[in-house]
Amino acid sequence: MTFLAPLVVLALPVVLGLVYWLYRRRRPPERTVAGLWLWQKARRQGRSRRRLDLRLLLLLLAASCMVLALARPQLRLERPGPLVIVLDASASMAATDLTPEYRPGRAATAASLSRLESAKQQLRERLASSPRALLIRAGERPQAFGPALGRTLLDALAGIRPGDPEADLQAAIALGHRLLPGAPVLVASDSPDPGAEGYLNLGGYGQNVGITAIGPGFVAFANSGPRLWEGQVVVNGRLYALKIPAGGYATLEVPSLTVQAQVSGNDALTLDNQASFTRRAVRVALSEPAPALERLLALLGTVRAPANPEVRFEIGTPKETPRTFTVYFARQAQAEATVLDLERTLPYLRGVELVGFRLPVPPPAPQGWRPLLTGEAGEILGWYSPNGVYLPPLVALRDLPAFPVLLYNLIAPRGEIRQGLLRPQETLLPRPAPSRPLPPTFVLELSPWLALLAVLLLATEYWCFQRGPRAKASPASTPLTSV
């Protein structure tokens, strides 16, 4: 039982004391008798077996019920029912920084549990008791098991393994609501509370060092611990001493375009201790011969693959949005204009300086394409779509310093191969946050019943001691005077 206004209970002793004081200080009517000595003698003999004051007891019980009713008590019961369990399977859930809980009859061990294994221990009993349950593995894409009888999903729960670069908890919650409508959702994760009906936090305070970024001649490391990390890392077979500040990052540059890196030593998470970077040849296709373009593509290490290219180069105006990423060069132009601005949010325009250059204005792109380059008078000098770029004629671009940079930005990222976790948010290990239990399946408000009981007690007191045949003053409680 819980109280929604627990501070009101503190007033209970004060209220009971006040009722007792007011009851005892009342002055009963006097009664005249012929003599007092026999009456007083009889009272002294009966003090040892004084009866319970029923009227006072009724008043105290009524006052107690009223105070407790104002405290708004609730009776909450847990009854097995439909349930959706969302289990985070991101890489940070593999961190071994939780101590096993001690249970009677089970020997305590010094080994640490992973966050995921701790979640399984806490969810197993709840899942087994549910008559209809849905288990969802929350990774980059949610995976559902069920709906089915809860105990039949225990094997699926035991088989879940962590390792995804991230966990899309919102998509997993939406999937649970769709597959099992009306059932409460319990999320077990070390990520921030996603706002489901229940939340079980699995965060810990373990120290972890891992690789968060890698590229040609470049490696970045992060330290989740509360103190400076001093250790060694192995890059391309060579040991490097490294210092990483608490909760911060450090970088290391090496003279090699291909990189293999490893963190030495043990920490809470092993999935981010190794990473590598290599390059491969990107497959391209050209619709027409273009010597200047072909020379640049050869310098970038591309290979010709007309049947299955990753990037196409076309001469002409696009007719529709292409399926394969395609770079279009206009065949002819209407006029020239000076570039005033360009779409700076696109990654392949990083370092491409075209502002101030005069370029031909290509024919308009079809519907769905958006402006890429804008002239001084609002002319559109280039277009882009999610899967293509439409530029002025190649002859106007090939001699510009920005053209090789643009081609590099379009080609190089497609040939880069990175292996490893490479997720700073996972390496830094989410820290503990307050859990939020599922709401009870049955809630009974006790305030109305307590108020009704108080009214019944007061009515009983009124009928028995003020209105009924026992309302007359009793000799034991009436002061006597002699005549």
Side-chain angles (χ1 to χ4, degrees):
M1 185 173 66
T2 59
F3 293 91
L4 297 183
L7 295 180
V8 177
V9 181
L10 299 178
L12 183 60
V14 178
V15 173
L16 296 182
L18 182 62
V19 171
Y20 182 84
W21 179 73
L22 291 175
Y23 179 81
R24 286 302 184 188
R25 73 183 297 269
R26 81 190 195 287
R27 183 176 182 84
E30 294 185 355
R31 184 175 182 182
T32 305
V33 296
L36 293 179
W37 68 275
L38 291 175
W39 190 274
Q40 292 174 349
K41 181 179 180 181
R43 290 187 61 187
R44 285 195 298 269
Q45 293 177 352
R47 283 176 184 173
S48 59
R49 52 181 184 274
R50 180 175 297 175
R51 295 180 300 172
L52 178 68
D53 193 338
L54 181 59
R55 185 180 186 187
L56 176 61
L57 179 61
L58 291 175
L59 292 174
L60 292 177
L61 288 176
S64 301
C65 290
M66 291 303 298
V67 172
L68 293 177
L70 293 175
R72 300 178 61 190
Q74 289 182 341
L75 182 62
R76 301 188 174 195
L77 301 177
E78 293 290 343
R79 296 178 178 176
L83 178 65
V84 177
I85 292 180
V86 174
L87 182 55
D88 188 342
S90 61
S92 62
M93 292 290 285
T96 54
D97 57 353
L98 299 181
T99 303
E101 296 182 1
Y102 172 75
R103 296 183 181 180
R106 179 183 298 179
T109 60
S112 296
L113 280 177
S114 71
R115 299 181 177 188
L116 188 72
E117 292 302 322
S118 177
K120 290 180 181 180
Q121 288 188 358
Q122 299 180 58
L123 296 174
R124 188 174 291 112
E125 183 176 350
R126 185 183 289 269
L127 181 62
S129 63
S130 175
R132 186 166 177 81
L134 177 67
L135 175 64
I136 299 179
R137 181 189 184 274
E140 288 186 292
R141 295 181 180 178
Q143 180 183 6
F145 304 90
L149 185 64
R151 62 173 179 267
T152 63
L153 300 177
L154 293 177
D155 290 341
L157 176 66
I160 293 179
R161 297 289 181 268
D164 286 29
E166 61 182 357
D168 193 344
L169 297 178
Q170 295 297 338
I173 294 172
L175 179 62
H177 285 153
R178 184 169 68 253
L179 296 181
L180 197 58
V185 178
L186 175 61
V187 176
S189 172
D190 59 358
S191 299
D193 189 343
E197 288 80 359
Y199 173 63
L200 176 62
N201 182 264
L202 279 305
Y205 291 101
Q207 183 169 15
N208 180 57
V209 173
I211 303 171
T212 57
I214 193 167
F218 168 84
V219 190
F221 304 85
N223 172 24
S224 70
R227 58 184 180 275
L228 175 70
W229 183 85
E230 298 184 64
Q232 292 181 328
V233 296
V234 181
V235 180
N236 292 344
R238 179 180 173 185
L239 278 174
Y240 291 87
L242 194 65
K243 295 182 179 180
I244 310 176
Y249 299 86
T251 60
L252 185 65
E253 296 184 1
V254 294
S256 177
L257 296 180
T258 60
V259 181
Q260 290 186 345
Q262 181 178 353
V263 178
S264 301
N266 297 322
D267 52 19
L269 185 63
T270 60
L271 297 178
D272 58 0
N273 287 350
Q274 294 184 351
S276 63
F277 173 83
T278 56
R279 289 186 183 275
R280 63 170 179 82
V282 179
R283 303 183 305 274
V284 299
L286 281 70
S287 63
E288 298 180 12
L293 180 60
E294 292 175 10
R295 287 193 296 268
L296 281 174
L297 292 176
L299 290 174
L300 293 174
T302 62
V303 294
R304 303 291 286 274
N308 186 26
E310 297 173 76
V311 181
R312 289 184 179 273
F313 293 89
E314 300 272 351
I315 305 297
T317 302
K319 304 300 182 183
E320 58 184 3
T321 301
R323 296 181 179 180
T324 302
F325 190 90
T326 305
V327 180
Y328 293 92
F329 297 99
R331 189 175 297 276
Q332 57 185 0
Q334 301 172 351
E336 285 191 352
T338 302
V339 179
L340 177 65
D341 196 12
L342 50 82
E343 180 56 61
R344 302 182 184 276
T345 60
L346 300 175
Y348 46 78
L349 289 185
R350 186 182 300 114
V352 178
E353 299 296 338
L354 288 174
V355 176
F357 288 92
R358 289 190 64 81
L359 296 175
V361 180
Q367 187 176 4
W369 290 67
R370 302 177 63 182
L372 177 70
L373 305 174
T374 307
E376 292 179 326
E379 305 94 340
I380 308 301
L381 302 171
W383 306 78
Y384 76 97
S385 73
N387 217 24
V389 180
Y390 177 36
L391 300 171
L394 178 60
V395 67
L397 293 172
R398 64 188 181 186
D399 295 329
L400 297 180
F403 186 60
V405 179
L406 174 62
L407 281 186
Y408 177 86
N409 291 343
L410 290 171
I411 299 297
R414 303 176 188 276
E416 296 175 348
I417 302 176
R418 292 177 172 86
Q419 294 182 340
L421 181 59
L422 305 178
R423 289 294 192 278
Q425 66 273 17
E426 301 295 317
T427 294
L428 291 178
L429 295 185
R431 296 311 186 187
S435 295
R436 187 165 42 83
L438 281 172
T441 55
F442 177 77
V443 178
L444 176 62
E445 294 285 350
L446 298 180
S447 295
W449 301 100
L450 289 172
L452 178 60
L453 179 58
V455 172
L456 293 176
L457 290 172
L458 291 176
T460 302
E461 185 272 339
Y462 174 77
W463 181 263
C464 294
F465 297 99
Q466 298 186 41
R467 181 181 177 86
R470 298 177 60 185
K472 299 179 180 180
S474 62
S477 59
T478 304
L480 304 177
T481 58
S482 59
V483 294

